[in-house]
Amino acid sequence: MPFPEFWEWVQALPLSEYIGFTYWFPLLESIHVLAIGFVVGSILMVDLRLLGMAAAGYAASRITRELVPWTWGAFVVAVITGTGMFMTRATAYVENPAFQMKLILLILACANMAVFQFRTFRDVVLWDVGTVPPPAARAAGAISLALWAGVVLAGRWTGHII
């Protein structure tokens, strides 16, 4: 485990202990699950549009413009609530293979989104209203769906492996 003293310190913080021994942990967990539902649900709609499987009558730029702010808002809530839960058992979580996989998949999902946003989406005016987006956009949507499904599954397994 890298930096074991740091993770032990995080876990021993009064806030960590308070969250871990009160109703705050299940409250944070419930909010975390709802926030992840919003994140994945909004991403699902964008990805299905990129795959040409849904909302073909709407411009991809419109769907992205309207849903991405909700995605980011929910993602911030998920990070805050996830951090609160993580603090309570930091030493166990950093060694948990499912948690490690969740973080790796999150990083890959963010990288996929960045490549899409700064490369493929730059030319959206060329394919914005077409029913079938170009291969790069479809690939980004398919990769995104797979990565976010993995994030959800790894997150779900995290609590059962400790």
Side-chain angles (χ1 to χ4, degrees):
M1 161 176 41
F3 313 110
E5 296 85 15
F6 175 74
W7 300 121
E8 289 168 8
W9 174 79
V10 167
Q11 190 170 298
L13 289 170
L15 178 60
S16 303
E17 292 180 356
Y18 183 77
I19 292 169
F21 294 111
T22 65
Y23 68 91
W24 276 97
F25 190 92
L27 177 64
L28 290 177
E29 186 175 29
S30 298
I31 295 169
H32 189 73
V33 168
L34 290 172
I36 292 299
F38 273 98
V39 169
V40 175
S42 60
I43 288 172
L44 173 68
M45 293 309 301
V46 172
D47 290 344
L48 289 176
R49 172 61 181 99
L50 293 178
L51 289 168
M53 299 173 71
Y58 294 93
S61 62
R62 177 182 175 194
I63 290 176
T64 301
R65 183 178 58 253
E66 292 180 6
L67 291 177
V68 167
W70 290 96
T71 305
W72 279 111
F75 186 75
V76 168
V77 171
V79 168
I80 292 168
T81 55
T83 300
M85 292 186 299
F86 172 82
M87 292 170 59
T88 66
R89 298 175 81 179
T91 57
Y93 284 127
V94 296
E95 291 184 348
N96 185 317
F99 183 77
Q100 294 168 356
M101 182 58 64
K102 177 181 178 177
L103 292 182
I104 290 168
L105 292 170
L106 269 170
I107 291 166
L108 292 173
C110 289
N112 180 60
M113 179 192 67
V115 168
F116 172 74
Q117 200 67 36
F118 296 115
R119 200 167 218 195
T120 309
F121 202 67
R122 260 192 342 213
D123 299 327
V124 71
V125 296
L126 302 175
W127 54 270
D128 201 18
V129 292
T131 44
V132 180
R138 291 194 313 266
I143 291 167
S144 175
L145 284 176
L147 289 171
W148 282 104
V151 168
V152 170
L153 291 172
R156 193 65 202 116
W157 291 353
T158 296
H160 297 285
I161 292 181
I162 288 183

